[in-house]
Amino acid sequence: MRVDVVHNVTKLNDAMAQQIRETLREKRIFCLNLISSPGSGKTTILERTLDHLRDELRCAVIVGDLATSIDAYRMAEYAPTIQINTDGGCHLDAAMVSTALESLKLDELDVLFIENVGNLVCPVGFDLGQDVKVGILSVTEGEDKVAKYPRIWREASIVLLNKIDLAPFVFFNRTKFYADLEQVNALLPVIEMSATKGDGVSRFCDWILREREDRLAIRR
Amino acid sequence: MRVDVVHNVTKLNDAMAQQIRETLREKRIFCLNLISSPGSGKTTILERTLDHLRDELRCAVIVGDLATSIDAYRMAEYAPTIQINTDGGCHLDAAMVSTALESLKLDELDVLFIENVGNLVCPVGFDLGQDVKVGILSVTEGEDKVAKYPRIWREASIVLLNKIDLAPFVFFNRTKFYADLEQVNALLPVIEMSATKGDGVSRFCDWILREREDRLAIRR
């Protein structure tokens, strides 16, 4: 009984995500859905990335949080930002994104970043109409999070391994991280990053530019 | 419609949690439900705590994970451990705990630790029949997690602020952390901890001993 309902909720969500996907394709907007635990550095990564892309692409951000608008205020310095407060909800869904899109000028956009609620589990199951999911792990969380939370790494198109500057201070086993990741998703690219220091940000931006070009070429 | 179903699921869970609570009271077992993001250090904290309490109290652990038995193997060195694999589920519920209890010798137990799935959102909403919720935050996640994920700090009986040895290397604002926590839950005790170095573990164990005595006295 419960399973049926969950299934229906997902089906409704999928249909709405597909509509979002079609709208974004039509407007030639490349969309990334950023997923990680709380505190992995999503917001700082986005700030750096937006700053870096500023002259090349027109970006906007939809940011989801349970409460507060802390992240939106931080981001708004760099790009138009829409805050979604889920009021305790553990993930963004396509209906929330769809509503947020109404407040953005889609004709003036090249890239849309969606910063999901900090949660390595539930957001993975909800399609938001994105082109790619970006999975973020910080070294302070431990390399065992690859094996323990496999679904996000399976569905991601790229992994950002953040806070790499802290690796010497924590017991992060890099060999095990890469071995486990290869088991879950063999061809997944990884960018080692320190968002606070700026390392790896330009590599991520290059990846975004390339990936966006590739997808726009396919859509033609 | 969806709200109704969620409400019913919670109601069923609450009833089962109440049964667990009564069983544990009857057996004079003090039960702690540990909740945090992935990678905050729950497992290491538990290893240290179990090691420290070994001569004073008979402990057992129920550990929830989406996949793998990594944590259970780590814990089993110190105490009887039951692994629950949620198979992608984002939290433990009372039915899972109830089943796990069947595998434990309750007459030979003083303390039951439940290590929830790493998730700062969903586990908070599911009563497991515990006496207390323990909220864990690591300094590497950032002090803004108090304001952004308020419910866990509101419902916790104690906060462990872990990885305190890394505070000099990250931008953790201790003043803001304590100010925000006071807004959410003014009387909440905090133990600053470095589980890997062992700092703060004995204070946590003292708290467990005291809290357990207090609750057993009330139950009499």
Side-chain angles (χ1 to χ4, degrees):
Chain A
M1 176 68 174
R2 187 183 166 192
V3 172
D4 282 351
V5 174
V6 171
H7 184 68
N8 282 339
V9 169
T10 310
K11 249 173 70 179
L12 275 171
N13 185 78
D14 285 350
M16 195 162 273
Q18 196 48 38
Q19 280 177 16
I20 293 172
R21 189 165 281 118
E22 279 160 25
T23 303
L24 296 178
R25 289 204 170 160
E26 196 189 312
K27 303 284 186 188
R28 303 177 62 74
I29 299 168
F30 181 57
C31 179
L32 306 93
N33 179 2
L34 278 64
I35 297 174
S36 82
S37 306
S40 299
K42 284 187 298 302
T43 310
T44 306
I45 288 171
L46 264 179
E47 286 177 301
R48 294 298 180 120
T49 302
L50 292 167
D51 193 33
H52 201 278
L53 288 174
R54 211 194 285 239
D55 297 329
E56 297 180 82
L57 294 169
R58 297 165 300 174
C59 300
V61 181
I62 294 174
V63 50
D65 262 311
L66 279 75
T68 82
S69 299
I70 299 171
D71 288 355
Y73 284 121
R74 285 174 60 182
M75 224 85 75
E77 297 207 15
Y78 303 93
T81 301
I82 310 292
Q83 170 85 44
I84 300 174
N85 260 307
T86 63
D87 195 25
C90 54
H91 61 271
L92 292 181
D93 62 32
M96 297 173 189
V97 171
S98 186
T99 305
L101 283 179
E102 291 170 15
S103 309
L104 287 171
K105 293 177 181 157
L106 299 186
D107 289 322
E108 300 171 13
L109 265 194
D110 300 312
V111 179
L112 174 65
F113 294 94
I114 303 175
E115 182 185 333
N116 222 309
V117 176
N119 182 335
L120 213 45
V121 186
C122 317
V124 189
F126 285 79
D127 187 4
L128 304 181
Q130 72 282 323
D131 290 291
V132 292
K133 289 178 185 168
V134 178
I136 302 170
L137 184 75
S138 56
V139 297
T140 54
E141 294 167 66
E143 75 289 333
D144 59 338
K145 301 308 169 294
V146 173
K148 288 169 70 178
Y149 300 80
R151 190 165 167 200
I152 171 62
W153 320 115
R154 204 173 288 136
E155 298 194 7
S157 298
I158 190 165
V159 172
L160 308 181
L161 182 61
N162 197 28
K163 306 194 188 180
I164 200 76
D165 54 310
L166 296 177
F169 307 110
V170 296
F171 302 95
F172 188 80
N173 186 335
R174 207 190 234 99
T175 312
K176 181 108 177 57
F177 168 78
Y178 280 103
D180 283 356
L181 209 54
E182 190 165 322
Q183 284 237 322
V184 172
N185 189 344
L187 295 172
L188 189 59
V190 177
I191 295 178
E192 299 192 5
M193 189 175 265
S194 166
T196 56
K197 300 201 187 303
D199 300 340
V201 173
S202 70
R203 282 190 59 204
F204 181 45
C205 293
D206 289 345
W207 182 87
I208 292 171
L209 285 162
R210 229 171 29 239
E211 199 72 13
R212 178 172 173 275
E213 286 303 320
D214 288 354
R215 302 214 174 214
L216 290 183
I218 292 166
R219 287 183 205 169
R220 244 172 240 136
Chain B
M1 176 67 174
R2 188 184 166 192
V3 172
D4 282 350
V5 175
V6 171
H7 184 68
N8 282 338
V9 168
T10 311
K11 250 173 67 181
L12 275 170
N13 185 78
D14 285 350
M16 195 162 274
Q18 196 48 38
Q19 279 176 18
I20 294 172
R21 189 166 280 118
E22 279 161 26
T23 304
L24 296 177
R25 287 202 171 163
E26 195 189 313
K27 302 286 184 186
R28 302 177 63 75
I29 298 169
F30 180 58
C31 178
L32 306 93
N33 179 2
L34 277 66
I35 296 174
S36 82
S37 305
S40 299
K42 285 188 296 303
T43 310
T44 306
I45 288 171
L46 264 179
E47 287 177 300
R48 294 299 180 118
T49 303
L50 292 167
D51 193 32
H52 200 279
L53 289 174
R54 211 194 284 239
D55 297 328
E56 296 180 81
L57 294 169
R58 298 165 299 173
C59 300
V61 180
I62 294 174
V63 49
D65 262 312
L66 278 74
T68 80
S69 299
I70 298 171
D71 287 355
Y73 284 121
R74 285 174 60 183
M75 225 85 75
E77 298 207 16
Y78 302 94
T81 302
I82 310 293
Q83 171 85 43
I84 299 175
N85 260 308
T86 63
D87 195 25
C90 54
H91 61 271
L92 293 181
D93 63 32
M96 298 173 188
V97 171
S98 187
T99 306
L101 283 180
E102 292 170 15
S103 309
L104 287 171
K105 293 177 182 157
L106 300 186
D107 289 323
E108 299 170 14
L109 266 194
D110 300 312
V111 178
L112 174 65
F113 294 95
I114 303 175
E115 181 184 333
N116 223 309
V117 175
N119 183 334
L120 212 47
V121 187
C122 318
V124 188
F126 285 79
D127 187 2
L128 304 181
Q130 73 282 321
D131 289 291
V132 292
K133 289 178 185 168
V134 178
I136 302 170
L137 184 76
S138 57
V139 297
T140 54
E141 294 167 66
E143 75 289 335
D144 59 337
K145 300 309 167 295
V146 174
K148 287 170 71 179
Y149 299 81
R151 192 166 166 199
I152 171 61
W153 319 114
R154 205 173 286 137
E155 299 195 7
S157 298
I158 189 165
V159 172
L160 308 180
L161 181 61
N162 197 27
K163 305 194 189 180
I164 199 76
D165 54 308
L166 296 176
F169 307 112
V170 295
F171 303 94
F172 188 81
N173 185 334
R174 208 191 233 98
T175 312
K176 181 108 176 60
F177 168 77
Y178 280 103
D180 283 357
L181 209 54
E182 190 166 322
Q183 285 237 321
V184 172
N185 189 346
L187 296 172
L188 189 61
V190 177
I191 295 178
E192 298 194 4
M193 190 176 265
S194 166
T196 56
K197 299 201 188 304
D199 299 340
V201 172
S202 69
R203 281 190 61 204
F204 181 44
C205 293
D206 289 344
W207 183 86
I208 292 171
L209 285 162
R210 229 173 28 239
E211 200 72 13
R212 179 173 173 273
E213 285 303 319
D214 288 355
R215 303 214 172 216
L216 290 183
I218 292 166
R219 288 184 205 167
R220 242 171 242 136

